[in-house]
Amino acid sequence: MNFTKSIEVCFNKFTNFDGRASKSEFWWFQLFCLIVQIVGMLIDALLGYAELFVWIGYIIVLLPSVAVGARRLHDTGRSGWWQLLVLTIIGVIVLIVWWVADGDKKKNKFGQPIKL
């Protein structure tokens, strides 16, 4: 999956917490989220706003980002609820390790394997 396809899929499935997501879908979308935040910071700096556009960008990508994170965890055989670990400092490291891990090659309780 490429950058633009990932953005399209994630925004089309922004309320879909079922199924599985490939590593490329997840990480391309995370790159897009980072770019949105940087652009928001630049616009705020140029216009003199105090984080207005950063927050607008954050709100726009929040739900699709959580949904693709849950689907990515499903690909590794874990529940999307594990994303709550992001509320702890050490939990972020655990989540990154799981998000980087290869997905299950066979069917798991969340569906068929990803075919790219």
Side-chain angles (χ1 to χ4, degrees), residues 49-97:
Y49 292 117
E51 299 184 2
L52 173 68
F53 286 95
V54 169
W55 278 102
I56 290 171
Y58 178 74
I59 290 168
I60 290 170
V61 298
L62 177 64
L63 193 56
S65 183
V66 172
V68 74
R71 291 193 311 271
R72 179 70 200 124
L73 287 173
H74 290 170
D75 193 42
T76 63
R78 294 173 180 85
S79 170
W81 286 102
W82 280 108
Q83 288 186 97
L84 292 174
L85 286 175
V86 80
L87 300 174
T88 66
I89 295 170
I90 204 76
V92 174
I93 297 167
V94 172
L95 281 171
I96 291 171
V97 169

Side-chain angles (χ1 to χ4, degrees), residues 18-33:
D18 297 326
R20 296 164 70 166
S22 65
K23 278 196 288 189
S24 61
E25 177 183 344
F26 176 80
W27 287 110
W28 280 123
F29 192 74
Q30 294 308 311
L31 176 63
F32 172 73
C33 293

Side-chain angles (χ1 to χ4, degrees), residues 7 19 27 29 47 106:
I7 296 167
W27 287 110
F29 192 74
L47 299 178
K106 56 187 177 204

Side-chain angles (χ1 to χ4, degrees), residues 17 80 82 107-108:
F17 291 82
W82 280 108
K107 182 179 178 179
N108 65 19

Side-chain angles (χ1 to χ4, degrees), residues 101-114:
D102 288 333
D104 292 340
K105 302 292 184 217
K106 56 187 177 204
K107 182 179 178 179
N108 65 19
K109 65 182 179 179
F110 300 105
Q112 295 292 332
I114 304 296

